[in-house]
Amino acid sequence: MKLGYRFVAYGFILLALFTEQMSRFGPSTAMIGGMVKKNCSDPSDTGKYCWSEKIQALVIGAFFYGYVFQFPIVGIAARFGFTLVVRIFLILSGVIMLTYPLMASVSPYLLIVGQIIRGLGAGVLIAYQFDMVRKWALPSEAKYLISCNGAIQMFGVGSGPFVAGLTASSIGWEYYFYISGIFFLVILTVSLVLVPSSPHRCRFMSEKELRLYAAQKQEEQKYSNKFAGWRDILRRRYLWAFSVAHIGFNFVAYNLYTTFPFYLDQIQNVSITILSWSIMYFGFGMGVSMILLSKIFQFVDTKTSWLKSRITFTMLPFLVHTVMYLIIPSIDHLAVLFAVTLVIVILCGTLYSGSYFTVNYEVDPVNSPKILSVFNSFGQLPGFFGPLVMVFLTYTDPKTPNYDDVLRSRWNRYFYIMASAPMVSFLALIGAYLLKPSEWKLHPTLKKNTVIKNPAADFSTCRNDCSEFKTDSQTFE
């Protein structure tokens, strides 16, 4: 893998995904770390705002109210260009995060509106990663870049709560939001200066590297002359199986970062410092596993067929997740609990690096952003239902007799119910493959025996007129 200017574009999307995830999962830790009072009737409670558990759940989940409706915005972005829409999102996210403490002082409902707006934009950014892979990644680099995208998101997931906890215990919870807002505006600047909407518009790329993209486009023209319409996309059975699978995946993954911290706080009685480190452990563990697993999957692909590899790594992790969730209520020792969550984390990495996320791109690279926007929209249901389900299943009045025993019993019930989500995902994937196995095929442009003719053709004039290699909208003319 020879380094070129395209790696500047890779770095941009990785930094953007990192910051988006860092800003998404920190608010729950900020609430625990001093933003919200734990007991409004206790005069010694140093929390700033007196919000009910329901209000807190709504603020955390509001992000996903916007996120779940991402596919209309992604459709617009696919039609007119992802780059412009993503830049608008970066501006809005920067402003919202910088003014987050101010909005909190006015009303939590103002935060809910801001979270919804950020969720809409974040959905576009998540789909944009596949558009970036299609435009900027060479075929040999695409799968590894998808794994890196997933890994950097998990690093952001782990860093967000950690930074929120660190600032809350030192300089103040407000500074977590200020840091996130500044990051968004820095990324916007990088995008405007260094990363155009497609490689052929890049002022700093060498002519030699530019020819690689022109030759790659030559190969794409043999197989894909236009983008698929929504009707064609929505008829694909694997799309709906991926939607169900993503719901199950996020019930597991989001639980680690949004509701599991409350379990550690209420049942395990961990401090805010340990809580911050534990969430970073979850995020970084998942990120590292994605990078390592991507290499393992490359080896497995050389030993067995693409189909067998993807079916195995798409379906089996959900079964293990079910077992792990059933085990958690019986664990009292914190170290054992973290060992079990490490298994969950590694399998989440498996589901990203060698599972339906990668299959989505490998089956149809051109339309993968739009396909992702659909199943990712449905997959965000756990984002806003999860906190509300947690409150419904676990809330216990402090005046309840035998409060500690009742609270633990309700948390146990919560995990038993959550164990059903990955099992449903497993059944949906099995059903989709059995009903229409012909949809599960590796795209011809990604096969190892694909040969690009005339790769050394002189496309140097493309800098002046690139219309024949246009990649931004609905044509390859």
Side-chain angles (χ1 to χ4, degrees), residues 192-205:
L192 291 171
V193 176
L194 298 177
V195 185
S197 57
S198 61
H200 66 255
R201 293 177 178 170
C202 184
R203 294 174 294 172
F204 308 108
M205 184 177 289

Side-chain angles (χ1 to χ4, degrees), residues 23 76 80 106 111 119 130 139 142 144 162 172 190 207 228 291 294 338 342 348 383 397 403 466:
S23 65
I76 294 172
F80 297 102
V106 176
L111 287 183
F130 284 91
Y144 185 68
F162 176 76
V190 172
E207 297 291 346
I291 295 175
S294 67
F338 281 160
L342 179 61
C348 283
D397 191 324
Y403 170 78
C466 300

Side-chain angles (χ1 to χ4, degrees), residues 263-477:
Y263 174 76
L264 294 175
D265 178 51
Q266 296 175 15
I267 303 300
Q268 300 293 335
N269 298 313
V270 302
S271 66
I272 185 65
T273 302
I274 296 178
L275 184 63
S276 301
W277 278 100
S278 64
I279 298 176
M280 188 176 73
Y281 157 78
F282 299 150
F284 276 66
M286 196 180 299
V288 171
S289 72
M290 287 180 184
I291 295 175
L292 296 178
L293 286 166
S294 67
K295 294 297 184 180
I296 294 174
F297 294 142
Q298 289 179 10
F299 173 77
V300 172
D301 286 347
T302 64
K303 300 299 181 181
T304 186
S305 69
W306 172 86
L307 181 61
K308 290 180 180 178
S309 171
R310 296 302 178 266
I311 288 179
T312 300
F313 292 113
T314 296
M315 300 178 187
L316 289 183
F318 285 114
L319 290 179
V320 183
H321 275 158
T322 298
V323 175
M324 293 297 101
Y325 263 61
L326 293 174
I327 290 175
I328 286 177
S330 63
I331 300 174
D332 293 320
H333 198 283
L334 191 60
V336 178
L337 179 62
F338 281 160
V340 170
T341 55
L342 179 61
V343 175
I344 295 174
V345 160
I346 291 173
L347 290 174
C348 283
T350 303
L351 288 169
Y352 201 107
S353 294
S355 183
Y356 60 94
F357 269 93
T358 306
V359 171
N360 168 52
Y361 177 80
E362 292 175 330
V363 169
D364 189 351
V366 172
N367 294 293
S368 57
K370 294 172 71 174
I371 297 169
L372 173 70
S373 71
V374 176
F375 76 72
N376 200 28
S377 291
F378 286 101
Q380 302 319 306
L381 293 173
F384 58 84
F385 278 131
L388 294 174
V389 170
M390 179 201 70
V391 172
F392 176 76
L393 293 176
T394 67
Y395 175 73
T396 306
D397 191 324
K399 298 179 181 179
T400 302
N402 301 317
Y403 170 78
D404 291 339
D405 292 337
V406 173
L407 180 63
R408 187 178 187 97
S409 173
R410 291 180 178 178
W411 270 107
N412 290 348
R413 178 181 60 181
Y414 168 79
F415 284 112
Y416 293 143
I417 293 175
M418 290 298 101
S420 63
M423 176 56 70
V424 172
S425 299
F426 170 79
L427 295 175
L429 290 167
I430 287 287
Y433 173 71
L434 294 177
L435 286 172
K436 198 167 185 181
S438 60
E439 291 185 336
W440 296 63
K441 289 183 178 180
L442 181 64
H443 196 270
T445 58
L446 298 178
K447 293 181 178 179
K448 291 182 179 180
N449 59 357
T450 298
V451 177
I452 298 179
K453 296 181 179 180
N454 196 23
D458 185 5
F459 294 103
S460 59
T461 57
C462 179
R463 292 192 186 281
N464 298 320
D465 180 11
C466 300
S467 59
E468 60 181 315
F469 305 119
K470 189 175 181 182
T471 59
D472 280 302
S473 53
Q474 301 294 303
T475 180
F476 284 125
E477 298 176 356

Side-chain angles (χ1 to χ4, degrees), residues 73-325:
I73 309 298
V74 170
I76 294 172
R79 179 66 180 86
F80 297 102
F82 275 93
T83 304
L84 175 62
V85 179
V86 167
R87 287 172 178 171
I88 292 173
F89 155 67
L90 292 174
I91 294 173
L92 290 175
S93 291
V95 171
I96 290 172
M97 294 306 288
L98 286 171
T99 58
Y100 208 97
L102 177 62
M103 291 190 290
S105 66
V106 176
S107 170
Y109 295 101
L110 192 57
L111 287 183
I112 291 174
V113 174
Q115 288 278 78
I116 292 174
I117 294 173
R118 286 211 326 106
L120 285 169
V124 178
L125 181 59
I126 298 300
Y128 177 59
Q129 65 176 305
F130 284 91
D131 189 63
M132 287 286 290
V133 169
R134 180 181 66 84
K135 290 177 181 178
W136 290 85
L138 301 180
S140 61
E141 300 168 353
K143 287 187 288 186
Y144 185 68
L145 182 58
I146 291 173
S147 295
C148 289
N149 287 345
I152 203 70
Q153 289 181 66
M154 294 305 105
F155 292 154
V157 168
S159 298
F162 176 76
V163 173
L166 187 64
T167 54
S169 61
S170 55
I171 56 178
W173 60 266
E174 299 92 343
Y175 287 88
Y176 157 75
F177 298 103
Y178 299 149
I179 292 171
S180 298
I182 292 172
F183 263 58
F184 275 115
L185 298 182
V186 168
I187 294 167
L188 173 65
T189 303
V190 172
S191 172
L192 291 171
V193 176
L194 298 177
V195 185
S197 57
S198 61
H200 66 255
R201 293 177 178 170
C202 184
R203 294 174 294 172
F204 308 108
M205 184 177 289
S206 68
E207 297 291 346
K208 182 178 180 180
E209 190 174 9
L210 189 64
R211 292 190 189 105
L212 294 174
Y213 290 103
Q216 181 176 327
K217 190 55 60 187
Q218 179 189 65
E219 183 65 20
E220 286 181 355
Q221 287 176 323
K222 293 168 53 179
Y223 299 99
S224 300
N225 293 320
K226 63 181 180 178
F227 284 64
W230 282 112
R231 180 178 297 179
D232 173 65
I233 288 175
L234 295 177
R235 287 176 176 174
R236 303 181 187 187
R237 284 189 173 90
Y238 75 83
L239 166 65
W240 300 108
F242 288 0
S243 299
V244 176
H246 202 40
I247 291 173
F249 172 84
N250 280 335
F251 260 121
V252 174
Y254 287 165
N255 173 74
L256 291 174
Y257 308 112
T258 59
T259 58
F260 198 66
F262 291 94
Y263 174 76
L264 294 175
D265 178 51
Q266 296 175 15
I267 303 300
Q268 300 293 335
N269 298 313
V270 302
S271 66
I272 185 65
T273 302
I274 296 178
L275 184 63
S276 301
W277 278 100
S278 64
I279 298 176
M280 188 176 73
Y281 157 78
F282 299 150
F284 276 66
M286 196 180 299
V288 171
S289 72
M290 287 180 184
I291 295 175
L292 296 178
L293 286 166
S294 67
K295 294 297 184 180
I296 294 174
F297 294 142
Q298 289 179 10
F299 173 77
V300 172
D301 286 347
T302 64
K303 300 299 181 181
T304 186
S305 69
W306 172 86
L307 181 61
K308 290 180 180 178
S309 171
R310 296 302 178 266
I311 288 179
T312 300
F313 292 113
T314 296
M315 300 178 187
L316 289 183
F318 285 114
L319 290 179
V320 183
H321 275 158
T322 298
V323 175
M324 293 297 101
Y325 263 61

